[in-house]
Amino acid sequence: MTTKERHQCFPSQGAQMLMMNRLTGAQKGHRLLKKKADALQMRFRLILSKIVETKLLMGETMKEAAFSFAEAKFHTGGFNHVVLQNVSKAQIKIRTKKDNVAGVTLPVFESFIDGTDSYELAGLSRGGQQLSKLKKNYQAAVEVLVELASLQTAFITLDDVIKVTNRRVNAIEHVVIPRIERTLVYIISELDELEREEFYRLKKIQDKKKIARKKAEAKKAALLAAGVDVRNQQNILDDDDDDLLF
């Protein structure tokens, strides 16, 4: 295992606890990002279906508006001068709202009627019914266009956010979490190796003390056999200070 495949750290109990906490946080973040991506995908598919429906509706609405325009022009003979005189007095206006989806702010456009009808006197002489139908059809067309613009803006915004979220989910799943797990494996293996070395060291010390104690007992026995009084002689190896093996 190379150092590029794991975090560089000194193997210790503190480092192990730190990596375990980081692994828990990464797993929790992965779950939350996955839920966010799923929620965005659901809204994305819903908006996509609405866009398809709105585009079909827009084709029908624009066709009716174009037919009503030709019909009104045929009956009135022309009303371009009336439109040019009132071109600065917009009746249909747009306002912007915000929608929140899993922490993502989506702009929402809405059309509304502001003020009075600037063309209420048009068609008094002839073609009044056709002009009323024309205004109604084009008002519906504008509402559909505004709705389509709102849906497409939300579609593009969600598409960018979903790509970023999926990249983060994949990075955590395939890079961050495996790297932390490999680091934990390295720390645990190093700690186990240190524990085995410590056990071996204590075992060797205990064996050396046993050998030294046997030599001291043999020497003592030899002195007793020679008639030397060793009762008042203190031996430091007589203390029961055996090392504990964990």
Side-chain angles (χ1 to χ4, degrees):
M1 184 186 301
T2 62
T3 55
K4 293 183 179 180
E5 296 178 351
R6 59 173 176 81
H7 294 282
Q8 296 183 1
C9 62
F10 181 78
S12 63
Q13 294 290 340
Q16 183 181 2
M17 291 298 298
L18 177 62
M19 286 299 161
M20 290 180 65
N21 292 333
R22 292 182 64 176
L23 178 61
T24 303
Q27 291 173 344
K28 183 177 180 180
H30 178 265
R31 289 194 299 269
L32 293 176
L33 283 176
K34 189 66 177 176
K35 290 181 180 179
K36 177 180 179 180
D38 293 340
L40 293 177
Q41 285 285 355
M42 290 179 59
R43 187 62 177 270
F44 184 79
R45 289 191 291 268
L46 180 61
I47 290 177
L48 182 60
S49 62
K50 285 186 177 180
I51 287 177
V52 175
E53 295 175 1
T54 307
K55 283 188 175 182
L56 295 176
L57 179 62
M58 182 185 68
E60 296 294 330
T61 306
M62 293 301 294
K63 182 173 67 174
E64 293 180 3
F67 283 147
S68 60
F69 175 76
E71 186 179 7
K73 190 174 182 181
F74 175 77
H75 284 86
T76 58
F79 45 85
N80 290 339
H81 60 284
V82 180
V83 176
L84 293 175
Q85 290 176 358
N86 298 277
V87 71
S88 60
K89 302 177 182 178
Q91 182 183 1
I92 300 178
K93 296 183 179 180
I94 307 298
R95 58 171 167 246
T96 305
K97 297 172 61 178
K98 293 181 180 180
D99 189 14
N100 190 291
V101 181
V104 180
T105 302
L106 300 178
V108 178
F109 306 136
E110 290 184 351
S111 60
F112 65 99
I113 298 176
D114 185 19
T116 58
D117 188 0
S118 303
Y119 309 101
E120 58 183 356
L121 299 179
L124 289 179
S125 58
R126 57 178 178 171
Q129 183 178 359
Q130 285 74 21
L131 282 176
S132 298
K133 182 180 178 181
L134 173 64
K135 289 187 289 184
K136 181 180 179 181
N137 289 338
Y138 267 97
Q139 182 178 344
V142 170
E143 292 176 356
V144 174
L145 286 174
V146 171
E147 182 180 0
L148 181 60
S150 178
L151 291 172
Q152 288 184 335
T153 303
F155 179 85
I156 295 173
T157 304
L158 279 179
D159 185 47
D160 294 337
V161 175
I162 288 173
K163 289 179 181 178
V164 173
T165 305
N166 287 334
R167 283 197 296 267
R168 290 177 179 175
V169 170
N170 292 332
I172 293 176
E173 183 177 354
H174 300 291
V175 178
V176 177
I177 292 180
R179 193 174 184 185
I180 296 176
E181 289 177 344
R182 288 192 293 267
T183 305
L184 276 172
V185 171
Y186 163 74
I187 292 175
I188 293 173
S189 63
E190 289 295 320
L191 290 178
D192 290 342
E193 183 66 26
L194 291 174
E195 185 177 353
R196 285 191 295 269
E197 290 178 358
E198 183 67 15
F199 181 83
Y200 178 77
R201 185 184 67 83
L202 293 175
K203 188 69 175 176
K204 293 294 290 184
I205 292 174
Q206 193 178 50
D207 291 341
K208 287 182 179 181
K209 285 187 176 183
K210 287 181 180 179
I211 294 172
R213 187 176 292 108
K214 288 181 179 180
K215 288 182 179 179
E217 290 177 353
K219 183 178 179 181
K220 183 178 180 180
L223 292 174
L224 289 174
V228 179
D229 188 8
V230 293
R231 290 178 296 177
N232 296 327
Q233 295 182 4
Q234 184 178 3
N235 191 350
I236 60 174
L237 296 176
D238 291 340
D239 298 334
D240 294 333
D241 57 347
D242 294 340
D243 293 299
L244 296 178
L245 299 181
F246 297 96

